[in-house]
Amino acid sequence: MKQRFYTYLLILSIILLICMYGHLHTGFSDMSTADLLRILLGGGSDVENLTVFDFRLVRTILAVFIGMGLALSGAIFQTISRNELASPSLLGVNAGAGLGVVLLVFYTGSTTSLGIWTLPLVAVIGATVAALLIYFLSYRGSATISPYRLILTGISMSAGFHAIQIVLVTRLDPNKFYLVNTWTIGTISGNSWAHVWLLVPIVIVLGLFLYARYMELNLLALADETAIGLGVKINRTRFLYLIVAVLLAAFCVAVGGSIGFIGLISPHIARRLIGADHYFLPLTALIGAILVVGSDWIGRAIIAPDEILLGIIISLIGAPYFLYILAKTKL
């Protein structure tokens, strides 16, 4: 398995680099490969540096780490629920974060009243409250949480959160509506290096934490009785990884909007490549990064100089694959 793992790791890394190059190369102004390399190596003018470093490179880096964070979060949600159809959007995390953002805009008219931390803070609070509510409602007096009850509760709560969002959104003025609608669809345009310094350390630290404990995640994926027999404190462990998954998803959603499907399909593809061992987490992260970078690249190139929002492209890719997963999954 390790030989296959390293082979796919190399292949996916090369694909990601190609996507990142294409992403950097695409924009309002034409730029040759030689010009791009010259600017990246410090030989650009002020205007060129502004274009490449402050607009394009920021967007490329954020696309990579948003994809990685959402993919890892989806893998953990699928482990917790022991269901390959689970994802942050399915279990109410995106909906909770979205409701928090809508409430923020509804009552303040802005997403930056406390600076760059405003949106991430509100998104994390909304996602955490939603996840905790779903988690504790899933107990229903049982000694352990049923994964199926967790998913059904998540679907129900997501529907309720979305209904509240719709009621609030219909009462927004056009400017606030555009702000909320753009964020809800998903886009990484308009961000800055401050967002990079906020998101990248969180994804790296939590990603390394998960990879360092991949053996425990393997145990958590087993039946509850088996995991308990092997010494896993099932409820406490599941709750720990739930919080980690929520934090990953919430920060990524706060920066990139309510992007769906990445957390669903990335772990599924990784499992098909090397199996269900959580050794696949780095591959999952790379696949998520490729999907987001590639989708944003397509969205910018297909109707240039205009662009299609990232979330629309990902939905066009993810929806058919979701139907494929649904057809192949034994429920």
Side-chain angles (χ1 to χ4, degrees):
M1 186 189 75
K2 285 191 175 182
Q3 183 176 357
R4 289 173 59 197
F5 170 80
Y6 288 117
T7 300
Y8 284 121
L9 188 69
L10 177 61
I11 293 171
L12 291 172
S13 297
I14 293 172
I15 295 173
L16 178 58
L17 289 174
I18 293 171
C19 290
M20 290 175 67
Y21 166 78
H23 194 270
L24 273 173
H25 201 271
T26 303
F28 290 104
S29 58
D30 293 329
M31 195 171 291
S32 67
T33 301
D35 288 336
L36 186 59
L37 289 174
R38 172 178 55 80
I39 297 166
L40 290 173
L41 294 174
S45 65
D46 290 341
V47 173
E48 289 174 330
N49 288 334
L50 180 67
T51 300
V52 172
F53 288 102
D54 291 342
F55 294 143
R56 297 189 184 182
L57 189 59
V58 164
R59 189 165 178 167
T60 301
I61 294 173
L62 285 176
V64 169
F65 283 92
I66 287 172
M68 288 184 172
L70 290 174
L72 291 171
S73 177
I76 302 308
F77 278 118
Q78 289 175 14
T79 298
I80 291 171
S81 64
R82 295 201 297 273
N83 191 313
E84 291 185 1
L85 298 181
S87 68
S89 55
L90 184 68
L91 292 179
V93 174
N94 285 17
L99 180 58
V101 172
V102 171
L103 288 170
L104 175 69
V105 175
F106 185 81
Y107 287 109
T108 70
S110 171
T111 58
T112 57
S113 56
L114 298 176
I116 190 176
W117 284 96
T118 306
L119 198 57
L121 181 63
V122 170
V124 168
I125 291 173
T128 303
V129 170
L132 292 177
L133 186 60
I134 292 166
Y135 185 85
F136 287 113
L137 285 175
S138 301
Y139 262 113
R140 201 178 173 183
S142 302
T144 59
I145 292 177
S146 166
Y148 297 105
R149 190 181 300 132
L150 186 67
I151 289 178
L152 292 175
T153 305
I155 293 172
S156 301
M157 294 302 296
S158 293
F161 292 147
H162 284 305
I164 297 173
Q165 285 185 53
I166 292 172
V167 171
L168 294 174
V169 166
T170 56
R171 300 178 60 188
L172 295 175
D173 62 51
N175 291 331
K176 292 181 181 180
F177 175 82
Y178 175 79
L179 178 64
V180 170
N181 190 53
T182 301
W183 183 89
T184 302
I185 294 173
T187 181
I188 51 177
S189 63
N191 290 311
S192 66
W193 281 106
H195 295 92
V196 173
W197 306 133
L198 169 67
L199 181 65
V200 170
I202 291 169
V203 174
I204 290 175
V205 170
L206 294 181
L208 290 175
F209 169 80
L210 292 174
Y211 188 59
R213 304 184 67 165
Y214 77 92
M215 290 299 295
E216 188 173 56
L217 288 167
N218 286 339
L219 297 178
L220 194 62
L222 301 173
D224 285 352
E225 295 79 6
T226 305
I228 293 170
L230 292 171
V232 178
K233 299 183 184 302
I234 195 74
N235 285 337
R236 189 171 70 181
T237 305
R238 187 174 280 148
F239 182 76
L240 169 65
Y241 289 115
L242 174 69
I243 295 300
V244 173
V246 167
L247 289 175
L248 276 171
F251 276 100
C252 291
V253 165
V255 175
S258 187
I259 301 171
F261 291 111
I262 299 299
L264 170 68
I265 64 180
S266 299
H268 191 269
I269 295 173
R271 287 191 194 94
R272 291 180 66 87
L273 293 178
I274 65 167
D277 192 313
H278 283 78
Y279 205 66
F280 70 69
L281 286 176
L283 301 187
T284 302
L286 285 173
I287 292 167
I290 290 169
L291 287 172
V292 175
V293 175
S295 297
D296 198 48
W297 177 16
I298 293 170
R300 295 170 66 194
I302 197 168
I303 58 170
D306 294 322
E307 66 177 75
I308 301 174
L309 292 179
L310 170 63
I312 295 174
I313 301 295
I314 290 177
S315 295
L316 290 174
I317 296 171
Y321 196 84
F322 173 75
L323 294 176
Y324 167 76
I325 297 174
L326 189 61
K328 293 291 184 180
T329 301
K330 295 180 180 180
L331 295 175

